[in-house]
Amino acid sequence: MDENLYKLNLDYLIVAQSLIFSESEQKAMFCLGLTADAVSLLRKMSLEQLKILARSDCLTFIPRFNPHKWSAFLNVQKTEASDVLDARAIELLMLLSTHPPDS
């Protein structure tokens, strides 16, 4: 078992469950890409169950990385103001959160 993979999975699951328990289900679904079924399941899981799931030999979530959408953000001029960079980062995150990983 890869310890880094375990920590990544567990962190994701804990953040997801924390959002759900804090009455931010919509935010969990939007930001983390959870389905309504996943929200329902995570709400019922104990910490021990989260740890068992995190120990699987694969990611428990699908990263929404898309190189085509990242390229514009990564090629930004370093001389741009920080507020412009912040706006670009927010725009990129919005794009990434609304498209499937392979689009």
Side-chain angles (χ1 to χ4, degrees):
M1 167 85 244
D2 182 341
E3 193 65 23
N4 290 325
L5 184 58
Y6 168 72
K7 288 178 183 177
L8 183 62
N9 281 336
L10 187 59
D11 286 346
Y12 173 83
L13 292 167
I14 289 172
V15 166
Q17 197 175 59
S18 295
L19 284 172
I20 293 164
F21 288 154
S22 69
E23 304 300 321
S24 299
E25 292 176 14
Q26 295 298 319
K27 184 175 182 179
M29 292 171 74
F30 178 78
C31 294
L32 301 177
L34 296 173
T35 64
D37 290 337
V39 167
S40 178
L41 290 170
L42 283 168
R43 184 182 290 112
K44 299 173 189 173
M45 294 178 76
S46 68
L47 180 57
E48 193 58 39
Q49 289 172 316
L50 294 179
K51 288 179 179 181
I52 291 168
L53 182 58
R55 289 207 180 277
S56 65
D57 285 329
C58 59
L59 285 175
T60 58
F61 59 95
I62 299 172
R64 294 191 259 185
F65 300 134
N66 185 318
H68 301 292
K69 294 197 175 68
W70 282 93
S71 63
F73 180 73
L74 295 173
N75 292 325
V76 170
Q77 298 290 330
K78 295 200 184 277
T79 57
E80 288 194 64
S82 64
D83 59 334
V84 173
L85 292 175
D86 290 345
R88 285 186 187 242
I90 291 169
E91 180 182 344
L92 176 64
L93 290 172
M94 293 295 287
L95 282 170
L96 291 171
S97 67
T98 58
H99 296 329
D102 56 355
S103 64

